[in-house]
Amino acid sequence: MDGTASVTVHGCSALVTYLRDDVAPLCRGRFRTDEVRRQMLSAASRGVHLLGWKSYDAGQQGLARRYCLQSYALAAESGIPGHDGFVMRTMAVQGLKLHRPEHCQGLAETGLDRAKGKVDAQTEALFRVVHAHTLAESGLRRAALAEAKQAQARLADAPGDDVPFRSLAWGPPAPSVYSRTAKVHETLKDHRNAADEYARAAATRPAGTCVRAPRGRGGPWSRRVPVRSGR
């Protein structure tokens, strides 16, 4: 394990301690209103969700899935519209990254069904483009392209909408949608359109932000690559 992976493992340990010693007791506490309780459980779900990604980065795929399931349970208990579906979307993404697409389509489709009409347009676009990717991996070319087109249409519907924090994990939704659309085309062996969408993603990502870069097939993602707007 190299230095960057060691940092990831250390970060996991610190986060586990925080969630166990500080967040869990708060979740078991009493709340003045049901809305405060819902927001507390949703925040706890986001913390465990982050732990799932950090475990994935460290190459601990089984542990990552376990944390995602715990995050899902908290999100479902919170009752925040679309939050449980967003965790299902994450599980689909992780399955795609590990080249294990057999259950990804069902996860992405169910997650989308739980979000449609309950989340803002940009967040719905994130759901739809992952669903498109799973369709492409399943060999459903026409359906995948139609869903990718719908995802980009949702982006255009309401570019000024307020977006929940969980939808901003990788930065603004637009470059994330364009980058995932590129993966749809790449899966379908349409490399020209894939290159165009990757370029579009880079051009729309704000200067100074970064994207995750894979290192090895299905292995840990342990570095970040800066991307300047327009490049």
Side-chain angles (χ1 to χ4, degrees):
M1 183 177 293
D2 64 18
T4 50
S6 297
V7 170
T8 298
V9 172
H10 174 73
C12 281
S13 299
L15 183 54
V16 166
T17 300
Y18 172 67
L19 291 170
R20 182 192 63 213
D21 296 347
D22 293 283
V23 175
L26 288 173
C27 289
R28 292 192 292 267
R30 299 177 64 182
F31 301 91
R32 294 185 63 183
T33 67
D34 187 56
E35 179 60 22
V36 173
R37 176 181 177 275
R38 283 155 51 94
Q39 293 297 333
M40 181 67 239
L41 291 171
S42 180
S45 173
R46 294 199 299 271
V48 180
H49 183 264
L50 174 59
L51 191 55
W53 272 116
K54 292 183 75 65
S55 299
Y56 174 90
D57 287 348
Q60 299 173 310
Q61 313 308 343
L63 189 59
R65 181 52 57 99
R66 193 178 87 184
Y67 284 133
C68 281
L69 290 172
Q70 292 176 353
S71 175
Y72 171 81
L74 286 164
E77 188 176 353
S78 78
I80 300 294
H83 194 170
D84 55 348
F86 199 84
V87 181
M88 299 182 80
R89 173 189 176 275
T90 291
M91 290 191 283
V93 169
Q94 289 187 353
L96 290 171
K97 290 180 182 295
L98 294 170
H99 306 280
R100 296 293 302 272
E102 54 267 24
H103 301 298
C104 296
Q105 185 182 337
L107 283 167
E109 185 173 356
T110 303
L112 174 60
D113 286 343
R114 295 187 181 191
K116 283 188 296 188
K118 300 176 183 178
V119 298
D120 62 281
Q122 294 185 72
T123 297
E124 184 177 322
L126 292 171
F127 278 93
R128 286 190 176 277
V129 77
V130 168
H131 185 221
H133 193 181
T134 65
L135 291 169
E137 289 285 354
S138 299
L140 302 173
R141 183 183 186 89
R142 292 181 62 182
L145 292 175
E147 187 70 294
K149 183 177 180 180
Q150 183 66 18
Q152 297 203 9
R154 293 301 286 146
L155 275 182
D157 283 346
D161 275 2
D162 288 334
V163 180
F165 178 79
R166 62 182 175 273
S167 301
L168 300 172
W170 312 127
S176 295
V177 170
Y178 299 144
S179 179
R180 182 67 56 177
T181 302
K183 291 178 171 62
V184 172
H185 290 300
E186 195 171 10
T187 300
L188 298 174
K189 309 301 182 186
D190 184 352
H191 300 298
R192 176 174 294 181
N193 278 322
D196 288 344
E197 292 295 337
Y198 278 129
R200 193 177 183 189
T204 55
R205 188 171 293 278
T209 61
C210 54
V211 294
R212 297 165 65 87
R215 193 186 63 182
R217 182 180 177 86
W221 291 42
S222 59
R223 63 190 178 93
R224 289 178 177 264
V225 178
V227 177
R228 294 188 180 276
S229 181
R231 293 182 59 183

